[in-house]
């Protein structure tokens, strides 16, 4: 079945408000399946080593590329909404000491890779990668290149905090090969910025974007967050207008999840200043409408891209994929993540490094890979992962292709979720026939809720919750 692009003009604003309030519930963003909260400690370094060994003997000998993610956990100051793994410090020397740990990890990995292993995508994330000096970033790249071949034309991406870089630094990073940058904006409203302890101006971001474009950066992403304290329709409208004027190639618009019990910095956010659920829907609705009218393609959940950006092109041609960085147009490769809390995905194993610097360092000093938890995908996981990714990325599911690939009868295997889909169909969010189902333009706005019907873990939790409420 063919799916249609989600185009805001096809959806009445009031209609959208209604469906977002009914269906846009908190839930996984499906950057992986199973999601990281399902990882278990039964998976350790030996499982990861086995996965590497299997690849070394097969795929990597055939010169299949890998992706490398490097986590730099340091930030100079805390943003109160933050739910990332980070270490807040002003001591720059901690960055230098951290490089030594990354080198130990790379040394442990190197003998497990094939001579032919090469990196197609290199991503520095955090935390704040630009916490490291240019000299340290250059040393890190050198350290990687001296151990693993980086393919000609490999994509190099880096997350930047506009408060910690200037135009010259951007030029330096471009000269090191970074052609994709992503910057956190969240909201330009000064009241909101104060309430979340992250103050930066439109001019700061504009200067960096101008420098980046002039020196050859090919893609710029800006992150926004809706649902922050003191956000109003008026203030957020100005923010969205400013972002439209800045014209980044991509915009990611995340929803703030207030979980102060889990994330200590969020305890400094005053809950009474948070927008109501109804307000949140209006903020999201405003942003979707404004970006769509400005010519951005809505990719279905929290991403927008200009029509000539490779994400939008991949979306149109059915080649979009999802990984831990969100939507990507890159091919599906094994992912090796290094650094504290980094996640790797090699073969059928997800593995995650220790989440504290202390445990991460302890393992490395003992000569052990610092894997702390993970999950080994069984056949059902692989199948559901493929279904969820097909919904999230292409907006459709073709039963015959799943039947052929997984040797199942889709309709009987997924009898329960397919029954659940009937309510979405009745609301005009998807259409179905004997061959499969596909989202309508309206359905794209609640794509992850629809995908979650195929999430075995989430559905089991919901069933347990319903059961305990009944009893
Ligand atoms: S939001 Fe980003 S910059 Fe702010 S504390 Fe978290 S990781 Fe650091």
């Amino acid at each position: 079945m063919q799916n249609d692009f989600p185009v805001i003009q096809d959806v009445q604003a009031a209609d959208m408000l209604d469906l977002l309030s009914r269906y846009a519930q908190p839930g996984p963003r499906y950057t992986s399946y199973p999601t990281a909260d399902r990882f278990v400690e039964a998976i350790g370094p030996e499982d990861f080593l086995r996965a590497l060994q299997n690849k070394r003997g097969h795929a990597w000998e055939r010169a299949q590329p890998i992706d490398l993610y490097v986590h730099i956990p340091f930030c100079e100051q805390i943003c109160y909404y933050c739910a990332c793994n980070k270490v807040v410090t002003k001591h720059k020397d901690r960055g230098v000491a951290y490089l030594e740990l990354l080198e130990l990890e790379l040394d442990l990995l190197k003998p497990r890779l094939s001579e032919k292993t090469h990196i197609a995508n290199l991503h520095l994330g955090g935390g704040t990668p630009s916490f490291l000096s240019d000299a340290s970033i250059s040393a890190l790249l050198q350290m990687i290149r001296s151990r693993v071949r980086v393919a000609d034309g490999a994509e190099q991406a880096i997350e930047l905090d506009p408060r910690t870089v200037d135009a010259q630094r951007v030029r330096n990073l471009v000269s090191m090969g970074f052609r994709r940058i992503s910057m956190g904006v969240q909201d330009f409203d000064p009241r909101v910025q104060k309430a979340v302890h992250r103050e930066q101006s439109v001019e700061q971001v504009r200067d960096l974007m101008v420098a980046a474009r002039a020196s050859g950066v090919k893609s710029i992403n800006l992150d926004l967050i809706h649902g922050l304290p003191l956000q109003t329709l008026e203030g957020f409208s100005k923010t969205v207008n400013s972002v439209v004027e800045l014209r980044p190639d991509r915009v990611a618009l995340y929803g703030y999840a207030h979980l102060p019990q889990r994330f200590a910095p969020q305890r400094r956010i005053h809950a009474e200043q948070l927008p109501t659920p109804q307000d949140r829907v209006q903020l999201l609705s405003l942003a979707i409408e404004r970006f769509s009218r400005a010519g951005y393609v809505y990719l279905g959940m929290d991403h927008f891209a200009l029509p000539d950006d490779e994400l939008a092109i991949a979306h149109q041609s059915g080649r979009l994929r999802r990984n831990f960085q969100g939507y990507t147009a890159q091919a599906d490769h094994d992912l090796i993540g290094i650094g504290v809390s980094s996640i790797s995905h090699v073969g059928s194993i997800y593995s995650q490094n220790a989440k504290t610097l202390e445990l991460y360092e302890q393992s490395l000093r003992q000569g052990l890979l610092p894997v702390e938890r993970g999950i080994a995908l069984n056949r059902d996981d692989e199948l559901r992962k493929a279904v969820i990714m097909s919904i999230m990325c292409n907006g459709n599911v073709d039963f015959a292709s799943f039947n052929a690939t997984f040797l199942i009868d889709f309709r009987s295997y997924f009898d329960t979720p397919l029954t659940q889909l009937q309510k979405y169909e009745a609301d005009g969010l998807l259409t179905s026939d004997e061959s499969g189902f596909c989202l309508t333009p309206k359905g794209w706005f609640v794509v992850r809720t629809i995908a979650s019907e195929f999430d075995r873990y989430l559905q089991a939790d919901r069933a347990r919750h319903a059961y305990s409420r009944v009893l």
Side-chain angles (χ1 to χ4, degrees), residues 115-323:
E115 290 287 303
K116 294 183 182 163
T117 307
H118 59 284
I119 298 169
N121 295 286
L122 172 62
H123 188 108
L124 268 55
T128 311
S130 48
F131 177 92
L132 299 180
S133 66
D134 290 346
S136 289
I137 294 175
S138 175
L140 172 62
L141 293 178
Q142 185 50 38
M143 187 192 292
I144 293 167
R145 285 173 191 278
S146 64
R147 288 163 177 84
V148 196
R149 189 160 68 82
V150 178
D152 295 340
E155 294 274 8
Q156 276 183 223
I158 186 166
E159 297 167 12
L160 299 180
D161 181 341
R163 299 167 302 171
T164 64
V165 280
D166 57 18
Q168 187 52 48
R169 282 208 71 187
V170 168
R171 286 189 279 273
N172 295 346
L173 290 166
V174 174
S175 73
M176 291 180 218
F178 292 97
R179 294 289 182 275
R180 293 189 177 279
I181 63 171
S182 180
M183 290 189 275
V185 165
Q186 327 313 3
D187 194 326
F188 283 126
D189 184 334
R191 290 172 67 241
V192 177
Q193 291 193 351
K194 223 176 175 49
V196 299
H197 200 234
R198 184 182 175 116
E199 297 180 55
Q200 60 194 28
S201 65
V202 179
E203 291 67 36
Q204 262 174 310
V205 176
R206 181 181 298 126
D207 288 351
L208 297 181
M209 288 180 68
V210 168
R213 286 195 167 126
S215 44
V217 164
K218 75 175 195 190
S219 178
I220 300 175
N221 172 79
L222 297 185
D223 288 344
L224 295 179
I225 302 182
H226 71 92
L228 291 175
L230 299 180
Q231 260 177 347
T232 59
L233 271 181
E234 194 191 353
F236 200 57
S237 170
K238 284 188 191 154
T239 292
V240 173
N241 287 348
S242 299
V243 172
V244 164
E245 267 174 41
L246 291 169
R247 207 81 184 148
D249 304 272
R250 300 173 183 180
V251 179
L253 172 64
Y254 300 112
Y256 171 61
H258 190 57
L259 299 167
Q261 324 80 314
R262 266 179 72 190
F263 305 112
Q266 297 186 356
R267 292 176 202 150
R268 294 159 94 166
I269 284 183
H270 301 291
E272 66 280 7
Q273 294 181 342
L274 292 171
T276 63
Q278 184 66 13
D279 292 340
R280 286 183 65 129
V281 169
Q282 292 198 326
L283 292 165
L284 177 61
S285 171
L286 173 145
I288 293 173
E289 180 161 12
R290 200 67 58 82
F291 284 123
S292 299
R293 287 199 192 286
Y296 283 84
V297 175
Y298 180 45
L299 299 178
M301 203 186 74
D302 44 25
H303 281 59
F304 301 82
L306 289 174
D308 58 354
D309 185 271
E310 67 174 18
L311 274 191
I313 295 167
H315 186 257
Q316 196 154 30
S317 57
R319 289 184 298 102
L320 204 60
R321 287 182 43 254
R322 254 181 111 62
N323 63 17

Side-chain angles (χ1 to χ4, degrees), residues 374-432:
I375 196 163
L377 276 68
N378 60 29
R379 193 171 161 68
D380 178 75
D381 293 327
E382 297 280 9
L383 167 59
R384 287 172 188 270
K385 178 180 170 211
V387 173
I388 287 173
M389 293 307 165
S390 181
I391 297 171
M392 296 292 296
C393 298
N394 306 322
N396 65 33
V397 167
D398 174 40
F399 297 158
S401 83
F402 282 94
N403 292 344
T405 309
F406 291 91
L407 302 177
I408 56 161
D409 174 38
F410 195 100
R411 300 186 69 87
S412 54
Y413 194 99
F414 289 116
D415 180 48
T416 306
L418 288 175
T419 304
Q420 289 301 319
L421 291 194
Q422 289 170 6
K423 64 175 182 275
Y424 302 98
E425 188 158 14
D427 275 332
L429 301 173
L430 59 84
T431 57
S432 70

Side-chain angles (χ1 to χ4, degrees), residues 75 77-79 81-82 84 86 126-128 161 163 186 198:
C75 300
Q77 63 180 49
I78 190 78
C79 309
Y81 55 81
C82 183
C84 302
K86 77 272 162 194
T128 311
D161 181 341
R163 299 167 302 171
Q186 327 313 3
R198 184 182 175 116

Side-chain angles (χ1 to χ4, degrees), residues 344-379:
S344 299
H345 182 201
V346 176
S348 60
I349 295 267
Y350 284 111
S351 60
Q352 183 169 27
N353 281 352
K355 287 186 179 173
T356 66
L357 259 182
E358 293 69 27
L359 288 175
Y360 173 69
E361 175 164 8
Q362 207 177 76
S363 294
L364 290 168
R365 298 275 180 220
Q366 290 168 0
L368 297 171
L369 282 170
V371 174
E372 186 178 77
R373 58 205 277 272
I375 196 163
L377 276 68
N378 60 29
R379 193 171 161 68

